[in-house]
Amino acid sequence: MLSKVAPWLASRNEAGLGVRVLGAADTLALRALANEDPVANVFILAHLDSVGTAAPTSGGAKVYGVFDDDRLIGACWAGANMVPVQLDPALVEHIAAAAHQAGRRYASIFGPAESVLALYSKFEQLGHFAHEVRERQPLLTISGAPAIPANPSLTFGTMADFDRILPACAAMFEEEVGYSPFLGGQDFYSRRVAGLIRQGHSLVHIDADGTVVFKAELGAVTRDVTQVQGVWMNPGLRGRGESAGYMAAVVNLAKTFAPVTSLYVNDFNAKARATYERVGFTQAGTFATVLF
């Protein structure tokens, strides 16, 4: 659909295009839009499954929609992060202008690379500059059985293990983005980790000494797709070739929620990409992440 939008943008009357914050009445339209690519849009689909509405959240997160008259043709989640939803690059200026006028600061933009990079280009023109831009992050999926045996030690985390899981999550976050998730306080990130554990979305191996050996989270879950995030092997136990077995176990546990397991990885992380390939993941698209 979006490939058919661009040709008329230059010639049609711009009054036919509008941007507004979505409300409850737009829920079905947003879900239909996101379902055009349920893997790439698992974040917003999981949100809709959780809250049941496209309306703004109590915390102030909202979804901007681009309309051609009354037809929703693109959207973008705007909360702590910005996440494009089937947003043709030709439409990003409308979203960028609305988000800029709202005056909110965002930690990142992530999602399909073309949309993310086009949106960031408009943000740069409006005076918002990134700390880092990761332009190519292969989006990987697996729908069959893992290609290698799974490590049976991986299991679902419990709240009894929270005090061990939280430091491991914080270490992974700092290693990945370059700063502590506890900057400005520990409460928000701690609630996020606890929420994942309570939902059964925390996967961990804690050895007999109480050390977290490996952990990952299912950051977004629908009945069709899970998206794995926060993959982390204890630094003292790396280099033994064990990550692939743990990732095979991640796939098996994720399949208790949905048939397709997905994740995205930095293109420069050759070791991780090789591990995912061993497990049986294949590329389904390309994401990008802009870190502010």
Side-chain angles (χ1 to χ4, degrees):
M1 178 188 74
L2 294 177
S3 64
K4 298 178 182 177
V5 172
W8 52 250
L9 283 177
S11 60
R12 73 168 282 118
N13 186 338
E14 282 294 315
L17 289 180
V19 174
R20 63 171 172 81
V21 174
L22 301 188
D26 301 303
T27 302
L28 291 179
L30 178 60
R31 184 179 289 279
L33 183 72
N35 270 321
E36 293 178 11
D37 189 339
V39 172
N41 297 317
V42 64
F43 173 87
I44 194 66
L45 288 167
H47 170 73
L48 290 175
D49 286 348
S50 175
V51 303
T53 179
T57 70
S58 59
K62 62 191 71 171
V63 181
Y64 292 105
V66 182
F67 288 83
D68 175 23
D69 294 327
D70 61 352
R71 183 167 62 97
L72 182 66
I73 59 174
C76 188
W77 165 268
N81 309 291
M82 298 198 75
V83 186
V85 181
Q86 298 299 100
L87 186 63
D88 191 283
L91 303 175
V92 299
E93 63 183 299
H94 304 280
I95 297 290
H100 174 69
Q101 290 170 8
R104 182 166 185 162
R105 295 178 62 86
Y106 304 98
S108 72
I109 311 171
F110 68 87
E114 287 189 357
S115 300
V116 167
L117 298 175
L119 185 57
Y120 176 57
S121 177
K122 295 299 180 182
F123 263 70
E124 276 191 311
Q125 295 172 23
L126 295 168
H128 305 273
F129 300 101
H131 164 69
E132 184 178 355
V133 179
R134 299 176 180 180
E135 296 184 352
R136 291 176 296 278
Q137 297 175 305
L139 175 64
L140 309 177
T141 63
I142 182 172
S143 56
I148 62 171
N151 189 318
S153 299
L154 193 72
T155 187
F156 293 105
T158 69
M159 286 304 296
D161 299 320
F162 174 77
D163 289 340
R164 294 182 176 90
I165 294 173
L166 179 63
C169 290
M172 178 283 306
F173 185 100
E174 187 164 358
E175 193 174 329
E176 177 68 17
V177 303
Y179 60 86
S180 171
F182 298 147
L183 287 178
Q186 186 171 324
D187 188 57
F188 177 82
Y189 190 72
S190 297
R191 290 200 310 270
R192 168 65 175 163
V193 172
L196 289 166
I197 295 172
R198 291 192 180 100
Q199 290 174 301
H201 296 172
S202 170
L203 313 177
V204 65
H205 173 205
I206 300 174
D207 68 16
D209 296 325
T211 299
V212 175
V213 177
F214 177 94
K215 70 95 189 168
E217 288 80 46
L218 305 180
V221 176
T222 71
R223 65 181 181 181
D224 300 311
V225 183
T226 61
Q227 186 178 89
V228 179
Q229 299 174 354
V231 176
W232 183 83
M233 173 70 80
N234 190 304
L237 302 172
R238 295 175 187 174
R240 302 179 180 182
E242 297 180 0
S243 294
Y246 281 113
M247 281 306 305
V250 168
V251 171
N252 286 340
L253 293 175
K255 285 183 181 297
T256 64
F257 294 96
V260 176
T261 306
S262 72
L263 57 83
Y264 57 100
V265 58
N266 294 318
D267 66 332
F268 53 79
N269 193 340
K271 289 184 178 180
R273 293 183 66 181
T275 294
Y276 300 142
E277 184 175 351
R278 280 185 62 199
V279 174
F281 283 88
T282 58
Q283 188 166 352
T286 303
F287 266 28
T289 298
V290 176
L291 299 170
F292 289 104

